[in-house]
Amino acid sequence: MTNGTDVTTQNPDILLDAELDAAALEAALPTLAEKLAVLAGDLSTDERAVLSSIVTSASLNLQELQKGNEEALFVFAKPISAAATPEIRSRLIGLPNELGLVED
């Protein structure tokens, strides 16, 4: 509470972010990837290109961040990040391939 105001009413995501932990994110990632793969299969060519661009860009960014230090701890603006652990980062880096968004 700040000045008698509940900050969660100002930013409802703050409660959600605080409740997410690395274990929950790691557990959720496989089913999320499955759902994204189904979604990707239902997209138009243009929509699939946009999804591919977003997922591939995130993957490449994470690859650059962890170069030379697989166990690096990153500091994020939010209490927890989707890239919070090496396991999650590894899965996210491989997500474009897992979703079939890149050519082998």
Side-chain angles (χ1 to χ4, degrees):
M1 290 241 210
T2 306
N3 297 334
T5 304
D6 181 358
V7 293
T8 60
T9 59
Q10 296 171 351
N11 181 2
D13 288 340
I14 200 168
L15 184 59
L16 178 62
D17 289 342
E19 291 176 359
L20 290 178
D21 63 14
L25 289 170
E26 286 179 12
L29 200 51
T31 55
L32 176 60
E34 289 172 13
K35 290 176 181 179
L36 285 172
V38 170
L39 172 67
D42 290 339
L43 297 176
S44 70
T45 302
D46 289 343
E47 292 167 335
R48 188 173 169 85
V50 170
L51 177 64
S52 178
S53 177
I54 292 167
V55 173
T56 302
S57 177
S59 172
L60 292 172
N61 183 50
L62 284 173
Q63 287 178 44
E64 286 298 313
L65 284 175
Q66 78 172 20
K67 270 188 181 171
N69 191 358
E70 295 279 328
E71 299 297 319
L73 296 175
F74 299 112
V75 177
F76 298 93
K78 291 185 172 188
I80 191 71
S81 168
T85 69
E87 162 107 14
I88 294 170
R89 286 194 301 274
S90 176
R91 289 291 309 260
L92 292 176
I93 288 169
L95 197 56
N97 287 327
E98 188 174 343
L99 298 180
L101 297 173
V102 293
E103 304 281 328
D104 287 332

